[in-house]
Amino acid sequence: TNGMVIVEFSAGKHAATAQGEVIDDETIKVPTPNVQANIGPKDCIVRVQIGVRDLTTTTAKYTYFLNSIAEKSLCYGPGVL
């Protein structure tokens, strides 16, 4: 299905949304929103809305980690092992 994709990351009463794109029938590409001020480093529930349809009733788990915030880390980046 093609169309605008909205992805909602929520934890309790807090939520953040980001716009994504449909890659194929099984893949959606979306940048993770900055949740440092509202959700923080914790587990989130992810739901998807494609086009004018409602958000999905099924969810996926996503975890934000404190050490993925560059300002809070000694070393950060894809080359750090």
Side-chain angles (χ1 to χ4, degrees):
T1 303
N2 292 329
M4 185 177 73
V5 177
I6 300 295
V7 180
E8 178 186 80
F9 298 80
S10 62
K13 296 179 181 180
H14 303 288
T17 59
Q19 187 172 346
E21 65 177 297
V22 175
I23 302 299
D24 58 38
D25 288 343
E26 298 178 0
T27 309
I28 294 173
K29 180 179 176 182
V30 61
T32 53
N34 183 355
V35 297
Q36 184 176 0
N38 56 1
I39 294 176
K42 59 179 74 169
D43 292 338
C44 295
I45 299 297
V46 178
R47 296 176 6 158
V48 177
Q49 175 185 1
I50 299 176
V52 296
R53 298 178 180 164
D54 293 333
L55 286 167
T56 55
T57 55
T58 57
T59 62
K61 181 181 169 187
Y62 186 82
T63 303
Y64 280 99
F65 294 98
L66 181 61
N67 62 357
S68 64
I69 301 170
E71 294 83 21
K72 304 282 185 185
S73 301
L74 177 63
C75 296
Y76 179 76
V80 179
L81 297 177

